[in-house]
Amino acid sequence: MNRRGFLSIAGALVTGPIPFASAHASVRTDGAIKTLILVDFTGGNDGLNTVVPIADERYRALRPTLHIPRDQALNIDERTGLHPSLRPLMPAWQAGEWAIVQGVGYAQPSRSHYRSQQIWNTASDADDYRRDGWLARSIASRTHTFGTAEAGPFPAGDIVTQLSSPFDLRSFAASCKAAARVIAANRKQAGVTVIRLALNGFDTHELQAARHASLLAQFADGIASLRQALIASGDWRRTLVTTRSEFGRSARENDARGTDHGAAAPHFVLGGAVRGGLFGEAPALDRLDADGGVPASVDFRRLCATVLDACWNVASAPVIGRAFEPLPFVRA
């Protein structure tokens, strides 16, 4: 498929007071993945309390009140654990369908929500100000566009369709159910369905522990239910779920028992075609950046390249602007 493939509108990004947004679009492609689900952890997810460096004493020293105790973490190896709220997703880990990519970020990270979201959405360098989303550059057509003022990585344009009844999007769980119905409706159609879900509230500057646990529980419950529904329908093997967030959090907790804007963080990729396991480097807590953030070891554009090259057979270099090596989490 060339980079100006066919795009059809099947839904919309919901804006306004509803905290859980959903959008989807379809594109023709010959790749193995028919559905891409982007889950945005809006506000900047705390990676260190999501994928926990349980064997690193520096982690506990940096977070005397916020650290996840080793005996509460879901241990996945001798040095790494997961936040206990992620327990509903452990069957995916045990089935080898959950890849955890550590240290995802970019050079010269911005601490601005808006600017860092813009960088992620456009797959650009920190000093390159683009307006077109990376999905727009890969799948946009001249006659059908998708967008709102917050189009994210989707094409920006003037066609907006509100997701209304029968879609109830007042919770992340409901958004996941709506996603399953969209996938079912598009099953016999040619092309790929791209769905974007947003889970808001990760800007945890104060009293982080309870809120972060609740957000991760909502994510885990919603995606676990979605996985079960797609396994039952036979769609899971051709679905890829990947998380995004504008940045991680500071390694050191602040005086309000929260964390501040950081840099790199781990991200999740789940699906029936995923090769599960840990990818990337563990957080280098002895080499924090000047603002106390975890330095990036995996450029986030390698995730974009993996979707384009390995999943859709679309050449990623012309879309992103230069070549990035895909990550090996997609089964051949």
Side-chain angles (χ1 to χ4, degrees), residues 8-322:
S8 66
I9 302 306
L13 177 65
V14 177
T15 59
I18 299 174
F20 304 93
S22 175
H24 68 278
S26 298
V27 56
R28 295 188 187 279
T29 183
D30 300 321
I33 299 300
K34 184 174 175 63
T35 302
L36 172 66
I37 301 176
L38 305 174
V39 181
D40 287 357
F41 289 164
T42 306
N45 179 43
D46 180 20
L48 289 177
N49 275 21
T50 301
V51 180
V52 186
I54 53 176
D56 195 331
E57 292 294 337
R58 288 164 295 201
Y59 165 68
R60 286 178 285 278
L62 288 164
R63 298 181 168 209
T65 71
L66 281 184
H67 72 273
I68 305 297
R70 185 168 191 154
D71 62 356
Q72 294 181 22
L74 306 172
N75 294 356
I76 56 176
D77 66 22
E78 66 278 3
R79 302 190 61 82
T80 311
L82 300 175
H83 193 288
S85 290
L86 295 172
R87 186 178 298 278
L89 284 174
M90 288 307 291
W93 177 261
Q94 293 157 358
E97 298 174 349
W98 182 2
I100 299 172
V101 186
Q102 302 180 97
V104 180
Y106 56 91
Q108 299 176 309
S110 171
R111 261 60 173 186
S112 161
H113 291 289
Y114 174 80
R115 176 59 187 143
S116 196
Q117 288 169 1
Q118 187 179 49
I119 291 166
W120 272 76
N121 288 333
T122 59
S124 57
D125 291 330
D127 59 355
D128 183 12
Y129 289 79
R130 302 192 63 150
R131 297 180 61 86
D132 52 340
W134 67 273
L135 282 173
R137 299 197 297 272
S138 62
I139 64 177
S141 76
R142 295 179 184 276
T143 56
H144 297 282
T145 60
F146 181 97
T148 69
E150 299 179 1
F154 290 106
D158 57 4
I159 298 178
V160 178
T161 306
Q162 291 296 328
L163 280 177
S164 56
S165 181
F167 297 105
D168 177 0
L169 302 180
R170 288 176 291 183
S171 71
F172 185 73
S175 291
C176 289
K177 290 179 181 178
R181 294 164 76 175
V182 168
I183 293 167
N186 288 351
R187 184 177 300 122
K188 295 182 179 179
Q189 297 183 11
V192 165
T193 297
V194 181
I195 299 171
R196 181 183 175 207
L197 305 175
L199 182 54
N200 299 330
F202 284 90
D203 196 18
T204 50
H205 287 283
E206 58 185 12
L207 302 176
Q208 172 179 302
R211 189 188 347 166
H212 193 235
S214 174
L215 288 166
L216 292 181
Q218 292 175 63
F219 166 74
D221 287 339
I223 298 301
S225 295
L226 177 62
R227 174 177 177 265
Q228 287 301 316
L230 297 183
I231 288 173
S233 67
D235 295 306
W236 181 242
R237 62 187 177 85
R238 299 198 66 191
T239 297
L240 196 75
V241 179
T242 182
T243 62
R244 310 185 326 143
S245 195
E246 60 263 43
F247 39 61
R249 312 297 298 180
S250 58
R252 186 180 298 278
E253 67 177 72
N254 60 30
D255 293 338
R257 296 195 175 186
T259 52
D260 299 316
H261 298 178
H267 283 281
F268 300 153
V269 185
L270 300 99
V274 168
R275 179 182 292 109
L278 281 170
F279 298 83
E281 300 176 5
L285 298 184
D286 59 339
R287 293 187 289 107
L288 301 177
D289 68 19
D291 296 309
V294 174
S297 60
V298 175
D299 194 294
F300 77 96
R301 287 167 290 190
R302 293 185 66 187
L303 295 174
C304 303
T306 306
V307 169
L308 294 169
D309 289 326
C311 299
W312 291 352
N313 294 330
V314 173
S316 63
V319 174
I320 300 174
R322 65 179 186 272

